[in-house]
Structures are given as C-alpha cells and as structure tokens.
Amino acid sequence: LQRLGLSSIQIEEIRTTREVATALRILAPADGFVLAQNVTPGLKFEKGNEWYRIADLDGVWIVADVFANEAEFVLPGAVAQVFLAGQHKSIPARVSEVLPQFDPATRTLKVRLELDNPGLRFRPEMFVDVVLPVTLPPALAIPADAVLDSGLTATVFVDQGDGFFEARAVETGWRLGDQVEIVKG
C-alpha cells in the first residue's frame, strides 16, 4: 500500500476499519500549484506514470539566453537584476550556473538564475528581462566602429593633430556591446 502512495495514516485507517476502500485518497508529497493534471476518473495507469505536476513557486529558476562570446564573463554567484515586462522595479537573482546548452539558431548559451518569489509574481513560462553584471579585466577599449576590420587585419586611425591620421594595425580581444578591446598595436 505504501508503494501505491498511501500514507501510514491511511494504511492504519484500513487496518482499524477492516474495510476495503473503493476509492483511495493519494496525498501529494509537497505543497504547491498544480501545473499539469494527467489523471482522470477511470483511467488505468502503470508504475512511474505522472499523475500531477506540482511546483513550489516560492523560489523559481530563470533561464536566460546569453551570447556565446559574452557567457565567459558571467560568473556563478553574480547578482543579476530581473524586470517583469512593463515594470521598472527590479528583483535580484543569483546566477547559479552557466548551463552547457548551446542554441545554434540564436547562438546563445543558457544561464540559470535563482530567484526568491515573494508574492508569487513570477510564474512558469513567463518572459522577463535580465540585466547581468559583467566583470572584465582592465583593458584598453575603444568603440567598435573605430576599428576597420578587413577580415585579415584590423586597423585603427590615430589622430596625429593638424588633420593628420596614422593607420595602425591592431589585434582585438573581447567585444562587448559597442566596445572592443585592443590587445596589441
């Protein structure tokens, strides 16, 4: 009877009343919200079938898409800001890990954030905006538009004064937003 999901209280009730119940009351192992109901009256089921999917929404996971070239700068433990659509108030969430899932269509990696959900404002399948902090090492960075990249070489033009410019070959590093790192040159 325990393998069927009956609690010890229900088993004791059957033992004391000596009656075979025509219906069994199955208790959920946790409190939460019903997300899916896969059982109906009269339905036959096998071992391992999922009857209900129940979620505790006091704490939720948010899975954010991050461009692959930026994912290396997102570190576990960092605190991100999460915004509900159309609202200006942010709620902090902690980066728990960068998942090893790559989406070739969007060229993004998945980052999992953990969020306390007071008032149950966040629900399954919702869309939110996430601002992730990025920590970069100290570097010389210039606007990406200032680099003339032919594919084989990268060139910048340095102002020499009096309307004269000098072309310099450079080697670029990370590119984030509209900034690019100059590694050499």
Side-chain angles (χ1 to χ4, degrees):
L1 292 176
Q2 286 176 334
R3 287 182 182 236
L4 288 174
L6 271 66
S7 69
S8 58
I9 295 171
Q10 290 171 310
I11 294 171
E12 185 60 32
E13 183 180 322
I14 292 171
R15 183 178 294 138
T16 57
T17 62
R18 296 269 190 212
E19 293 182 13
V20 177
T22 57
L24 297 176
R25 186 177 75 233
I26 307 295
L27 301 175
D31 290 338
F33 293 91
V34 175
L35 300 179
Q37 177 183 342
N38 302 320
V39 65
T40 57
L43 179 72
K44 292 185 179 184
F45 57 88
E46 295 180 15
K47 181 180 178 180
N49 282 15
E50 179 184 73
W51 295 345
Y52 291 92
R53 183 171 299 144
I54 300 172
D56 177 9
L57 298 179
D58 290 334
V60 296
W61 282 352
I62 295 172
V63 179
D65 291 331
V66 176
F67 291 113
N69 64 330
E70 298 173 0
E72 67 182 279
F73 303 115
V74 178
L75 303 174
V79 177
Q81 297 302 317
V82 178
F83 296 87
L84 284 169
Q87 295 185 9
H88 299 291
K89 183 180 177 187
S90 68
I91 296 176
R94 187 181 59 78
V95 175
S96 61
E97 66 181 310
V98 178
L99 302 172
Q101 297 170 313
F102 180 74
D103 185 349
T106 59
R107 296 182 180 187
T108 58
L109 288 169
K110 306 293 183 187
V111 173
R112 181 182 299 149
L113 300 115
E114 296 176 2
L115 173 81
D116 289 330
N117 192 14
L120 306 176
R121 294 172 52 191
F122 296 89
R123 308 286 169 94
E125 306 299 325
M126 283 181 84
F127 285 91
V128 296
D129 293 321
V130 176
V131 177
L132 289 164
V134 174
T135 304
L136 298 172
L140 173 63
I142 63 172
D145 293 344
V147 179
L148 180 61
D149 193 348
S150 68
L152 298 174
T153 60
T155 306
V156 296
F157 294 90
V158 179
D159 186 359
Q160 297 295 317
D162 295 327
F164 293 99
F165 292 90
E166 177 187 342
R168 289 194 190 161
V170 294
E171 187 178 313
T172 59
W174 54 258
R175 183 179 300 255
L176 192 59
D178 64 344
Q179 297 288 304
V180 65
E181 175 188 24
I182 301 300
V183 177
K184 187 191 247 183

